[in-house]
Amino acid sequence: EKPYFKHFFREVIDRLHYLSCVKLSGRIDNSELVAHLKDLVALDFSAKDTAGFLKKIAEIYAEEHAYDLAREYLNHGLKLHAKLPGAKKLAELLA
């Protein structure tokens, strides 16, 4: 309700994105990381933030050669945010 909280909340989301997509990647098992990312998707952040989490899930599935799942998550992310950074390169890999 307070204007300053909205600014602070943006920092919280950015920190969650950094921790889940950068710091935890490679430090915990991919299946556990995917579960955490799916929990973040369920929190219903903005379309852009949710799309970023979905893209990270797609990248993990692509690394594990689960290309159908990777395409599914990437497409879902692109539906939410068409200009998702890094999506073109991942889409080319999955084509």
Side-chain angles (χ1 to χ4, degrees):
E1 295 179 9
K2 307 256 185 208
Y4 66 87
F5 185 73
K6 289 182 181 180
H7 174 72
F8 174 71
F9 194 65
R10 177 75 249 159
E11 291 178 16
V12 170
I13 294 170
D14 289 344
R15 185 70 173 165
L16 282 171
H17 192 290
Y18 175 73
L19 289 172
S20 60
C21 295
V22 177
K23 288 301 240 180
L24 288 178
S25 187
R27 294 182 186 223
I28 63 173
D29 184 56
N30 279 346
S31 61
E32 188 177 353
L33 181 55
V34 167
H36 289 302
L37 289 166
K38 287 180 180 179
D39 289 342
L40 290 171
V41 168
L43 292 175
D44 197 30
F45 292 121
S46 72
K48 183 178 179 180
D49 294 320
T50 301
F53 295 130
L54 291 167
K55 185 185 112 199
K56 182 62 180 177
I57 294 171
E59 289 171 352
I60 293 168
Y61 282 135
E63 286 176 15
E64 295 181 348
H65 305 288
Y67 299 118
D68 290 336
L69 282 171
R71 274 188 221 94
E72 179 182 330
Y73 279 93
L74 180 62
N75 288 335
H76 187 208
L78 288 171
K79 286 179 186 174
L80 293 175
H81 185 68
K83 295 182 180 181
L84 188 59
K88 184 177 180 182
K89 184 176 179 179
L90 182 58
E92 290 172 357
L93 174 75
L94 297 173

